Amino acid sequence: MRAPCIIVCLLLGAVSAKTVIQQAHDLHATTFTSLVAKAGLSHQLSSQGPFTVFAPTNAAFAKVPSDVMTKLSHDKDLLTKVIKYHVTAGVQLMATFGNDIEIGSWANGYKIRINRYQNGQVMTATGSTISSRDNIVTNGVVHLLDEVMFPLPEKSVLQYCASNQNLTQLTYSFVRANLQYDIEGGPFTVFAPIEAAFDALPTGFLNTEFLTLSASRNLLQYHYVRGTYYSAGLRDGETLSTVQGTDVVIHKNNGAVMVEKARILQADIKVTNGVVHLIDKVLLATDHVSGESAPPSIG
């Protein structure tokens, strides 16, 4: 099974005479390799292949809350699923990928989303920055991550919003604007206003200024853009074109990330069809797309 990998590696140049596990260990991903052993996967990853391993560094695991690490240590099934999510079959070299490509992981049914930003200077795997790429070994290749890819993306945008009590009004607004099917497509980046953001709007604002279907859709579509923009891919001063058609501008200052005048409260919520960023204000477009000649009322 290793022959294809060996041929590819020989064509590319120098090959390390190590396995993916040995390489990950030597690249200071020892927490990862110890968890691989705890999950009982060391032998497979050392003797079979080829594999592509996305190995979080020790510093990446240090960012994981202690209660999560405790749960992983005591729940072997969950640990195995998380480890397998960081592995995919074959030799996946980052230079071969475009933006917003999904590859199937070793965890059945889960996909790793590869994003390419700034002409490939920054690349991510489900939002985690790839800090070291294409470390080729005898049974595959290792890429280092600066964050653990956890929790696993299991819900779509709408499913996530519907399951979050702090996004009840946003969920209702998607349905109200008849966008519940559109938002299930994608991939999309959604800037999701929390409940307090809607509550801060003037009394009756949604029922007066956004009474029609076209106006309501206009409001909601100003909150999401096509493509997946994790925080690693957002630059200060960058403009993103929303589905509504008007651009939003990203601002970064002293650790704070803003989209127009709204602050991102929680970034990089992983969903199956993109990413969600929670924001503290409802975004209002300055230009509205003209709708139907006689738009129906809703609400």
Side-chain angles (χ1 to χ4, degrees):
M1 292 294 292
R2 295 187 186 180
C5 175
I6 293 172
I7 293 170
V8 170
C9 295
L10 287 173
L11 290 173
L12 291 171
V15 182
S16 173
K18 303 174 184 177
T19 66
V20 288
I21 293 300
Q22 291 169 333
Q23 182 70 294
H25 182 278
D26 291 349
L27 289 171
H28 308 294
T30 55
T31 302
F32 175 74
T33 56
S34 66
L35 290 173
V36 169
K38 193 177 185 68
L41 298 172
S42 295
H43 178 71
Q44 283 178 278
L45 288 173
S46 296
S47 62
Q48 300 177 21
F51 297 110
T52 296
V53 175
F54 295 89
T57 62
N58 293 345
F61 276 101
K63 300 177 187 178
V64 178
S66 58
D67 61 325
V68 174
M69 289 301 297
T70 299
K71 181 172 179 58
L72 286 174
S73 296
H74 290 86
D75 188 336
K76 187 176 179 180
D77 289 341
L78 178 61
L79 174 62
T80 300
K81 184 186 293 186
V82 171
I83 294 298
K84 284 188 171 183
Y85 184 62
H86 288 77
V87 179
T88 186
V91 180
Q92 310 284 355
L93 300 176
M94 291 301 99
T96 65
F97 283 107
N99 185 43
D100 252 330
I101 301 300
E102 289 185 309
I103 53 178
S105 74
W106 205 18
N108 189 34
Y110 293 91
K111 294 182 179 180
I112 300 170
R113 185 179 295 278
I114 303 296
N115 284 98
R116 191 180 192 94
Y117 306 114
Q118 301 172 35
N119 295 319
Q121 295 179 52
V122 176
M123 293 190 72
T124 60
T126 314
S128 300
T129 300
I130 301 171
S131 57
S132 178
R133 311 175 193 175
D134 299 341
N135 298 283
I136 302 168
V137 293
T138 57
N139 72 327
V141 61
V142 176
H143 309 292
L144 289 186
L145 302 183
D146 71 350
E147 291 182 350
V148 180
M149 295 192 293
F150 182 83
L152 309 184
E154 296 184 317
K155 298 176 181 177
S156 66
V157 168
L158 191 62
Q159 288 169 337
Y160 171 76
C161 292
S163 69
N164 188 330
Q165 293 184 349
N166 208 16
L167 297 176
T168 300
Q169 293 187 70
L170 177 63
T171 305
Y172 168 72
S173 296
F174 275 126
V175 177
R176 185 175 191 257
N178 196 28
L179 290 170
Q180 66 270 33
Y181 303 111
D182 180 70
I183 201 64
E184 289 293 84
F188 293 121
T189 298
V190 179
F191 299 103
I194 61 172
E195 293 298 282
F198 281 96
D199 292 342
L201 291 171
T203 302
F205 183 82
L206 293 174
N207 288 328
T208 55
E209 299 297 326
F210 296 99
L211 179 63
T212 66
L213 178 63
S214 60
S216 186
R217 290 171 66 90
N218 188 63
L219 170 65
L220 266 294
Q221 288 178 328
Y222 188 54
H223 286 79
Y224 59 103
V225 304
R226 293 184 177 87
T228 309
Y229 291 88
Y230 293 102
S231 56
L234 296 175
R235 292 177 293 170
D236 183 44
E238 183 175 12
T239 59
L240 302 176
S241 181
T242 68
V243 173
Q244 182 265 356
T246 306
D247 291 346
V248 290
V249 181
I250 303 298
H251 305 281
K252 286 188 171 184
N253 185 32
N254 295 326
V257 183
M258 311 281 290
V259 50
E260 293 294 334
K261 297 180 180 179
R263 184 185 182 114
I264 295 180
L265 302 174
Q266 184 178 348
D268 297 341
I269 298 166
K270 303 163 185 176
V271 291
T272 56
N273 61 329
V275 65
V276 176
H277 304 291
L278 301 188
I279 59 175
D280 66 351
K281 290 183 174 62
V282 174
L283 301 175
L284 302 177
T286 55
D287 298 316
H288 301 302
V289 178
S290 58
E292 313 104 32
S293 57
S297 295
I298 62 173

